[in-house]
């Protein structure tokens, strides 16, 4: 019921605005006895950090995390883990125009419609900056599910997709796009550069695969593993679509073409296909859990767009601040974090439910 | 945390198996004083009811709903509304084979992996029959949001899509496919007939539009209106994908092409486009809320598929029971119900949060 | 958030009014594989059943429970267990006067103030009849915690207390008062008879002890085992006080007098006292969990009391219906049920949290 | 389900240990537009602050609160309010002995039994220091319920009670005991001094009254206002009993003696008594909401007590650290805070449910 919390047995709450003094997360329900220090979290924040290439926002944030509670003698105690990240590079002056005009596609108008009021500096609470807190919490979640390996990547930018045949997981870390296809990464350099120079922006699709999820996590009916993953993904800024397994493509198939036949295998069935994305009836099957997430292009563009202001007057706005030309790129560590957070919670819930 | 409940202030819990004596829903948190009788619920159940055309399962169920509590002198009292639907046409013998072999794509294996045990009659709790309880609860939810009109339809079957230019809302009720395009409906007759006769099945995409949702419903960040809709849709049997507004199509656009410009209008802004599906930053904008939902083809097909049984032995299974050749068709009233249930809850939460 | 649900991993929802057609509970989160039939539940309902002696309400209800879902081949499946009890002996005419005047001390005025409306027949949803659904759910909870033995009894009626030195657990089932002291039971016969004949009513204190709770259940800080027990007990009709261990008596002690010293024992510490009622820091210590619950006298009395009616007019009311002269007596099985429900939930949560 | 969160629509989460670097609370769901600064919170922290008289622990903490998020231009925005209080005076060396022996009556053994591990410095998370975060959150809650005035006081210490006839609300702030009876305060000076010098401790009863609660807050059945107050009070360290209205005293009364008759009054009924503590059927009646809370004596005493250590060995412990000789005294601002937090949540929920 808390609007800024997610999860049940493993639960986190985030707080903080883009231009406040700090932001953070409280992770509640982490099992006791897990080794944890800032060094376990920082690498994930570094992967998401802005300002690391010309393809992301030029805001410079060290994103150094501090653990304020919940750890004693280097191990988690079972009590809440408070994580804090200070904001360093807030240039509030960049945003003075946003106070006077709603940026179409942004949350500006909707927040004012709901709350009668908003923190307009850098998008306030609706800024993608909030996702730093999720990534920090996600790093803790990973410790809870050591049996699971989560990998996400960008599958397409502005409609230009990778070649599945060229997929090379080791390539993902070698380019600024989290792209598993070296040729596509080269093309995207020009593509994103073009958008950036034009003050435009591009959408992207992020794919994610979690290997090692044992059969049996998830639950019917409103806590289906796919429902929780969909909720988690759709809670990320700029996300407008989620697919589990083949997703919309499955809607065009026949039952025969969509079948995932099974054979006896070692330690469980061997599956001959994975159209279902590793989830049947809302419960994991032991296959890799796969999902795809659609990020819209960020609405901050240099081209003036018709809009209105808080007083209802007609105006136009061209957004000049520091923005990601393709917010989906930095969405990769965020998707990974949210998947880790869902799975950690599901593991604990399964353990409680079934013993 | 309850796996069979959904919602917060307006909350429902469903119970019952495909072949048990009955199924039902308990609706908790319905505001007091609303006129309610069985007659307000029955038409929605009739729309979802099996056996009404040759394009759905031939199971014959009257799906007559009884209100057991929460209503006095014809009005809701604010206390839980217990709704019950008796199962009439359970032919458990049809399912004896399912006890001995996991149907690929069904929840059979996953349930056994989780619970070590399952009710194999007609899919038990994972049967689409459970959605009758949702539709009944959804009918109550509609009474809570009289300002909203919800309409869903089938947009494509097996990859054969309607012509958007031919969209006619009045056509939806005139054919057994909830199809707004008369020409497509005619084509689908042959298409679904073919699948049915061949013992095959087809996927489908269901689209939904909610008009009249005022600006301000929803909440950042993990209770975003899009996140709750995604969770609700993905909790429906056979659903594998959800899009809000343009969804995955937006991921291929530039920021300019995806913009939803605003002009001063009467009683709020006039929007010049609705790529965002009526939701920005997780909060409704006052535009129609639009979503698309992908249903996979039902996994019950006559073609034998390789599988294993509870003891791990290799076998094959061909599913001969009474099934929907295209489960997406009867998904239309279910999607409408889930959208109503999400919006009723959001309305009450908004009212509580903001006053 | 659901007002008619309780628990997290093991959760139940009750529905139904005193004079509706039926009432029931949906138990969600019960682990799979437990043997369960109506025969496991009925004895607990029989213990709470009205009309079994002249010391309880003369309403005659068989309170026969039906299991409508969640059980297959005699075992729980992990899916929701729907329990239904039909109302048989509703004499609504008895309550016509209640429509016209608020019974002081009853929920009549408060319900109208909240909902603008109420089901006045027999107290509607606020009737003690609702506790039948709790007792049914509690019987399922007991199956989840076979290691725990729960015993409750009446400790005092109208201020007349048992002699602790005369405590005999086997006496509890031998008299209509759940009284462990035969001499007190004899005194109470005259006491309650007197109140009954005079159309008066009496308060009572119910004590409860749960043996076998292992150390470690519960959680800091807002899910303390004592906090959950207090919430559970205070949710019972007519309850106005809860004590864990020595409760208010501890507030008059010094630290020395209140100490629970420990010595090495077999399989854990041996405690030399149990002032804390088996809970320290919100977590069970392995000692018996003990609590005391105060029931006020039922507000239904024959002596006319000043009151007002729905239109605000002055009037008096004398309640002539069939009522318990001492509602605390039948509270014994209800307290036991609530303690079982709390402990079942705590067991599953502990298992999930700590593994 | 979060063990360190409380509330539903108005919800807070606390974090931090007695000897960590800081502690804090995240308040989620606070309505937008309320004026809020540190100055609104600090006075309540000052009232609870340790080291202000010789009757409380000598730990010196400024307890200066910082608002890290959720406020813009001096007003709440509807987003999470992060509150942080730094720990200044942690002398961890005082607690080295606690690592080697469980203090009877403290949470030491129970935490180890649950988590296999604990932060033994100053009680870690189970320290009364955590209540500073509650008091800070409670100050925010008060802003949400300006119609309500909450006053708590100490009613008895070590069994020595105030004289109800001498009750003077203005006296409460004039002595270090929050005592409304000047004569009792004088007696308690000697009483608590004696306990302090002897290294002993004393229990206490705290009473609280909330005036201005309108009729209609609360809800049947498991969210009864009394159940939520009981849960809130019992979640406070050292609390072992809760009464609403007359509590246990009502259990000794007849229905006639316990009646709360009503007469027509201005703007609602005039009640002739308030045995029920302002709550009927779990819903407020418009009368003052009254409760009493029992605090046990702190278990930290100088007299050696038999105990065991983490390895199960026999030992004794005498607690020499800085402790409150009567923890109930500083419980007064904590009880007030918890009552404010419950009522703020109930107000928002009522608004959402009933509109």
């Amino acid at each position: 019921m808390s609007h800024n919390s997610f999860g049940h047995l493993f639960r986190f709450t985030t707080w903080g605005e883009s231009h406040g003094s700090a932001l953070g997360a409280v992770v509640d329900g982490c099992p006791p006895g897990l080794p944890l220090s800032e060094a376990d979290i920082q690498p994930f924040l570094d992967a998401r950090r802005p300002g690391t290439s010309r393809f992301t926002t030029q805001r410079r944030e060290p994103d150094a995390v501090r653990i304020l509670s919940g750890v004693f003698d280097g191990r988690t105690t079972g009590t809440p883990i408070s994580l804090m990240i200070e904001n360093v590079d807030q240039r509030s002056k960049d945003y003075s125009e946003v106070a006077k005009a709603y940026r179409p596609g942004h949350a500006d108008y909707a927040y004012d419609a709901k709350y009668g009021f908003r923190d307009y500096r850098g998008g306030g609470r609706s800024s993608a900056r909030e996702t730093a807190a999720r990534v920090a919490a996600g790093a803790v979640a990973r410790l809870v599910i050591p049996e699971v390996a989560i990998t996400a990547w960008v599958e397409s930018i502005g409609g230009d997709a990778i070649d599945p045949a060229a997929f090379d997981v080791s390539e993902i870390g070698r380019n600024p796009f989290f792209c598993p296809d070296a040729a596509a990464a080269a093309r995207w350099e020009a593509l994103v550069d073009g958008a950036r120079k034009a003050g435009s922006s591009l959408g992207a699709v992020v794919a994610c695969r979690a290997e090692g999820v044992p059969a049996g996590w998830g639950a019917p009916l409103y806590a289906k593993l796919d429902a929780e993953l969909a909720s988690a993904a759709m809670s990320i800024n700029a996300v407008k679509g989620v697919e589990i397994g083949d997703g919309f493509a499955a809607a065009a198939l026949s039952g025969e073409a969509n079948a995932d036949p099974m054979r006896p295998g070692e330690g469980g069935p061997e599956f001959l296909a994975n159209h279902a994305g590793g989830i049947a009836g809302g419960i994991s099957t032991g296959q890799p859990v796969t999902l795809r997430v659609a990020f819209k292009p960020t609405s901050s563009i240099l081209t003036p767009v018709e809009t209105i202001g808080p007083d209802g007057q007609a105006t136009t706005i061209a957004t000049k601040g520091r923005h990601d030309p393709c917010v989906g790129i930095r969405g990769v560590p965020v998707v990974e974090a949210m998947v880790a957070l869902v799975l950690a919670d599901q593991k604990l819930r399964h353990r409680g439910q079934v013993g």
Side-chain angles (χ1 to χ4, degrees), chain A:
Chain A
M1 189 59 238
S2 186
H3 331 111
N4 293 280
S5 301
F6 190 91
H8 298 270
L9 276 189
F10 187 95
R11 183 177 178 90
F12 71 101
T13 302
T14 67
W15 56 269
E17 285 81 39
S18 177
H19 286 58
S21 55
L23 51 87
V26 181
V27 177
D28 196 6
C30 184
L34 302 174
L36 176 66
S37 74
E38 279 88 352
D40 295 302
I41 301 172
Q42 198 60 50
F44 297 99
L45 283 167
D46 291 346
R48 183 209 148 276
R49 194 148 56 87
T52 52
S53 83
R54 70 180 185 277
F55 306 108
T56 65
T57 171
Q58 291 309 297
R59 180 167 170 170
R60 303 272 164 182
E61 287 289 353
D63 277 355
V65 68
R66 282 178 61 201
I67 299 175
L68 297 177
S69 69
V71 175
F72 180 61
D73 274 357
R75 289 189 291 156
T76 59
T77 59
T79 61
I81 301 166
S82 178
L83 305 169
M84 187 167 74
I85 298 162
E86 284 183 62
N87 284 326
V88 170
D89 183 17
Q90 322 97 296
R91 297 192 213 153
S92 288
K93 61 180 150 53
D94 285 347
Y95 295 96
S96 55
E97 221 176 84
V98 181
K100 290 175 291 183
Y102 297 130
R103 294 167 301 169
H106 276 282
D108 298 345
Y109 169 69
Y111 267 64
D112 261 19
K114 183 175 191 74
Y115 298 117
F117 185 64
R118 82 198 133 104
D119 177 351
Y120 49 74
R121 301 164 306 164
R125 181 77 180 139
S126 69
S127 164
R129 180 130 191 80
E130 183 268 348
T131 59
R134 304 184 189 215
V135 168
V140 180
R142 285 174 194 261
L143 300 177
V144 177
I145 46 166
E147 63 271 62
V148 179
I150 300 169
T151 312
W153 60 89
V154 177
E155 202 177 88
S156 70
I157 292 184
D160 181 4
I162 61 167
D163 174 4
F167 186 96
D168 175 2
V169 72
S170 65
E171 190 63 32
I172 295 172
R174 289 198 202 116
N175 60 69
F177 303 107
F178 300 101
C179 177
D181 168 357
R187 294 196 307 270
W188 293 352
E189 203 160 315
L191 184 67
V192 180
D193 251 345
R196 183 176 60 83
K197 288 175 186 164
S200 180
S201 66
L202 293 164
V205 174
V206 172
C208 185
R209 164 191 298 259
E211 305 203 43
V213 177
W217 291 5
L221 278 157
Y222 306 107
K224 280 182 172 170
L225 182 51
D226 3 27
E228 306 253 328
L229 288 168
S231 172
M234 206 67 104
S235 76
I236 304 172
N237 311 50
V239 169
K240 299 305 275 188
V242 188
E243 296 180 314
I244 304 295
D246 284 2
F248 279 86
L253 296 182
S254 68
E256 291 77 12
N258 193 53
D260 292 331
M262 288 182 266
R263 278 184 198 157
E266 284 177 40
E270 180 197 342
F271 287 88
L272 307 185
N274 189 13
H275 297 284
I279 307 174
I283 297 170
S284 59
T285 60
Q287 292 177 280
V289 171
T290 63
L291 62 156
R292 296 170 76 246
V293 181
F295 285 81
K296 69 174 185 178
T298 175
S299 307
S300 302
I301 51 175
L302 211 56
T303 306
V305 184
E306 267 189 274
T307 191
I308 64 170
D311 303 324
Q313 80 284 14
T315 180
T316 64
I317 190 162
T319 316
K320 295 189 203 89
R322 300 163 300 168
H323 300 290
D324 286 285
C326 174
V327 75
I329 298 170
R330 291 205 297 133
V332 168
V334 184
V335 168
E336 285 190 357
M338 292 306 294
V339 169
L341 288 156
V342 167
L343 291 175
D345 187 37
Q346 292 283 358
K347 178 180 179 174
L348 301 194
R349 286 156 71 180
H350 175 71
R351 203 159 70 178
Q353 290 154 23
V354 178

